[in-house]
Amino acid sequence: AHSYTKYNTWSDIESWMNSMATFNSDMISKEVIGNTYEGRPMVVLKIGKKSGSTKPAIFMDCGFHAREWISHAFCQWFVNEAVTTYGSDSQMTSLLDKMDVFVLPVFNIDGYVFTHTNNRMWRKTRSRNAGSSCLGTDPNRNFNAGWCTIGASTNPCSETYCGTAPESEIESKNLADFIRKNKSIIKAYITIHSYSQLLLFPYSYTYELAADHDELMAVAKGASSALRSLYGTVYTSGPGAPTIYPAAGGSDDWAYDLGVKYSYTFELRDEGQYGFLLPESQIKPTCEETMLAVKYIAAHVQKNL
Ligand code: 0X9
Ligand code: ZN
Ligand code: ZN
């Protein structure tokens, strides 16, 4: 059964999405943006007060990398917080009155299923690679942003294999198509990973500073201090290349170069004590503190519409 303080299976997340959409039909609608390699539906939940006209939106995804289970947990937490605090929390109410939030709770569904059934430490997708017995591509090396020029591998057996071309993975193509289609309304792109306690923004494919560097840094620092205010968890903010490592083909850089100015990658708890195996007892505190950072970014985006 589904629980916000557990790491849920794909099947429990799928039923949860259906019941969330059914029981909150005034706030949530479901859209399948395509299927994964193994044929599972990639569901986006659109959360917001229904309005007559098209609203500006924030896009957030979780579960790019299969083993980063706290990421998947956060998207579920966010959706629940949105619907349960709408009407009582003034910031959430204003946000969902004026904007929509698109949430893709699990991007790499095939990989996530594999981490439950076969290998808890799987990272990549599960697609076949021609001429190799190794499976999968790193979806965060598969976007059209300096694709495969740095911090990525052309070896299908590598954990950072960039694929045969940008968007060679159907999951990347489905996401990129959805964002391109909604480009005029999407004002922010947030992608949730773990671990290392970082709040990253472009660029990762180059050491050059983004045109909006100063604003992106100021918002990241504000979001990090909001996060820290709850339990003292310390985050480092900065552009990807110098802050974590240079790595091309990421969805954050791609979204930014497409024109989505507020593009952020979260690396959630912890700093390596448990790493990807973060205990379930840390789901609640991690999600509560991360909510403050995401809401900080959202408030800034909303203020600058
Ligand atoms: O390497 C990644 O894809 C991310 N770190 S993780 O440990 N979750 O794998 C960092 C992504 C930063 N952004 C880009 N490289 N574009
Ligand atoms: Zn990751
Ligand atoms: Zn809460």
Side-chain angles (χ1 to χ4, degrees), residues 131-154:
S132 172
S133 59
C134 295
L135 268 63
T137 288
D138 183 344
N140 215 27
R141 301 291 181 277
N142 192 232
F143 285 77
N144 196 6
W147 179 75
C148 222
T149 52
I150 190 167
S153 172
T154 54

Side-chain angles (χ1 to χ4, degrees), residues 68-232:
E68 298 167 9
W69 286 8
I70 189 61
S71 162
H72 309 70
F74 179 71
C75 270
Q76 295 161 63
W77 193 278
F78 179 89
V79 171
N80 187 52
E81 289 272 325
V83 298
T84 59
T85 67
Y86 178 82
S88 58
D89 178 272
S90 62
Q91 199 209 317
M92 188 61 86
T93 307
S94 162
L95 175 68
L96 298 177
D97 278 340
K98 301 206 173 60
M99 300 188 78
D100 289 321
V101 182
F102 292 110
V103 179
L104 171 56
V106 187
F107 169 90
N108 175 11
I109 310 167
D110 300 345
Y112 189 58
V113 169
F114 195 72
T115 61
H116 284 265
T117 56
N118 291 74
N119 176 359
R120 175 65 182 81
M121 292 303 279
W122 192 258
R123 167 180 170 94
K124 301 189 287 179
T125 62
R126 292 291 302 161
S127 56
R128 303 287 308 247
N129 292 310
S132 172
S133 59
C134 295
L135 268 63
T137 288
D138 183 344
N140 215 27
R141 301 291 181 277
N142 192 232
F143 285 77
N144 196 6
W147 179 75
C148 222
T149 52
I150 190 167
S153 172
T154 54
N155 176 357
C157 297
S158 164
E159 289 283 57
T160 56
Y161 177 50
C162 62
T164 54
E167 299 174 28
S168 59
E169 296 306 286
I170 186 64
E171 294 85 357
S172 315
K173 178 163 193 330
N174 290 339
L175 173 62
D177 282 345
F178 181 83
I179 292 178
R180 276 189 288 260
K181 186 181 75 185
N182 293 288
K183 182 175 138 62
S184 64
I185 61 166
I186 295 179
K187 306 299 175 191
Y189 172 76
I190 299 174
T191 182
I192 309 289
H193 289 249
S194 77
Y195 58 91
S196 288
Q197 297 175 195
L198 305 171
L199 183 44
L200 307 171
F201 52 87
Y203 286 109
S204 289
Y205 72 79
T206 172
Y207 283 96
E208 281 179 40
L209 296 188
D212 303 292
H213 174 87
D214 292 355
E215 184 184 3
L216 290 170
M217 181 65 112
V219 173
K221 286 190 164 162
S224 298
S225 43
L227 187 154
R228 183 170 58 239
S229 70
L230 197 56
Y231 303 114

Side-chain angles (χ1 to χ4, degrees), residues 261-274:
K261 176 162 75 163
Y262 300 105
S263 179
Y264 287 101
T265 296
F266 279 81
E267 295 279 2
L268 302 183
R269 288 195 199 181
D270 54 11
E271 292 180 292
Q273 181 182 12
Y274 296 102

